[in-house]
Amino acid sequence: MGDGVGKVPARLRLEAFAKVNYALEVRGVSPNGYHEISTVMQSVSLCDELELERADEGFGLFVEPEAAPIGPNDENTVWLAWRLLREATGEDLPVRIRLRKAIPAGAGLGGGSADAAAALVGLNEMFGLGLGEAELREVGLRIGADVPFCVSGGTALGEGIGEVLTPLPAPPEHHLVVAKPDVGAETARIYKAYDERSGEGRPSIDPTLKALRAGDLEALASSLGNDLAPVTETLVPEVGTLREDLVRTGALGALMSGSGTAVYGLFGSEGDARVAEREIDAPYATLCRPVMRGVAVLREHAPRRAIRRPVL
């Protein structure tokens, strides 16, 4: 470990919050091949949990449940966050991380991005690296387009490939039921299928922004839109069925998140949402609510001492 680290907390526990997209419009393809989008994203209380514990050396990752599909230890987003932050700061960052998965994979809910964001925030806190949020987002962008939003969280307009963030007013109070079929979706496959389709989606960004600024839940529910939803619903018909079922069970509006395959419904009251959660026929269904941060640090086992500011 470098001399700059000094005394650090022994252990941290963090929540890594999922996200949903209230609106998503595909703007085109940039020269580097990435799709440019405009999207309104919202952090929700559905979360994974990470426990970071200082180690003598190296990196270790333990996942619960063991069968959770996060990829090999040397390729998943938590490891990437550790490696890239280690390279950026020049510190060894010896750590053991336990990851408890609750956000389903292949869902469009940003589970891997949320885990990476929590790892960046936790390592920065544990080792007193002194990085600001903007610097953590910069590192996170090298992992994935959703990681910068997951570092900051809350409600935001994402542009570019989703990494250019503009904070937005918090939504009016509501609850969400998130449901997902067994099958997931690969983002690259969905965008490829989108490129092969003709026609344009329904404008959703401007109506969503207007609804948020007015604090109007019914207008927000009516404005929900996702250019990728028709593509995913064609490839995975269960997505469309779940969207219709959520409306049937009382949702003010329902939409697929990201590239899918999770679908969420907006409900004005927790009671209505709980009824829908019980009635919805899906392999996975859960109740959650909007939250105004991407990562929550829950516990720290020692005072943190600020150290020199690393150079990125």
Side-chain angles (χ1 to χ4, degrees), residues 64-254:
E64 300 175 4
E66 291 184 3
I70 66 165
N73 271 8
D74 60 349
E75 295 179 11
N76 66 73
T77 59
V78 173
W79 180 82
L80 285 171
W82 174 79
R83 180 177 67 80
L84 291 172
L85 197 59
R86 190 168 177 258
E87 291 175 1
T89 62
E91 302 291 354
D92 286 342
L93 310 180
V95 70
R96 298 291 178 267
I97 299 178
R98 185 171 299 278
L99 170 62
R100 296 185 177 93
K101 289 294 296 180
I103 305 171
L109 298 171
S113 296
D115 297 340
L120 291 172
V121 171
L123 290 167
N124 186 49
E125 182 79 8
M126 171 169 278
F127 291 98
L129 300 177
L131 298 180
E133 195 172 89
E135 293 164 304
L136 293 177
R137 290 199 303 263
E138 183 178 344
V139 176
L141 181 58
R142 297 173 61 189
I143 303 168
D146 284 341
V147 179
F149 170 75
C150 290
V151 168
S152 303
T155 314
L157 172 67
E159 298 174 288
I161 59 172
E163 87 289 7
V164 181
L165 300 173
T166 303
L168 294 173
E173 184 177 349
H174 65 276
H175 288 76
L176 306 91
V177 173
V178 177
K180 181 186 176 298
D182 281 328
V183 65
E186 294 183 2
T187 300
R189 180 189 179 202
I190 300 303
Y191 273 105
K192 182 175 185 297
Y194 174 86
D195 290 339
E196 294 170 353
R197 289 173 59 100
S198 59
E200 298 180 355
R202 177 176 65 87
S204 57
I205 294 295
D206 288 344
T208 299
L209 295 178
K210 183 178 179 180
L212 287 170
R213 288 165 180 154
D216 187 332
L217 181 58
E218 290 190 1
L220 177 62
S222 298
S223 71
L224 300 177
N226 183 340
D227 285 355
L228 300 177
V231 178
T232 306
E233 289 183 8
T234 298
L235 297 173
V236 186
E238 298 95 324
V239 171
T241 301
L242 282 177
R243 176 178 51 78
E244 293 169 357
D245 287 349
L246 282 164
V247 173
R248 177 183 54 78
T249 57
L252 300 173

Side-chain angles (χ1 to χ4, degrees), residues 3-9 124-131 300 303-310:
D3 293 337
V5 171
K7 187 175 181 180
V8 297
N124 186 49
E125 182 79 8
M126 171 169 278
F127 291 98
L129 300 177
L131 298 180
E300 183 173 329
R304 180 171 66 89
R305 188 178 67 187
I307 62 165
R308 63 173 177 84
R309 188 176 188 79

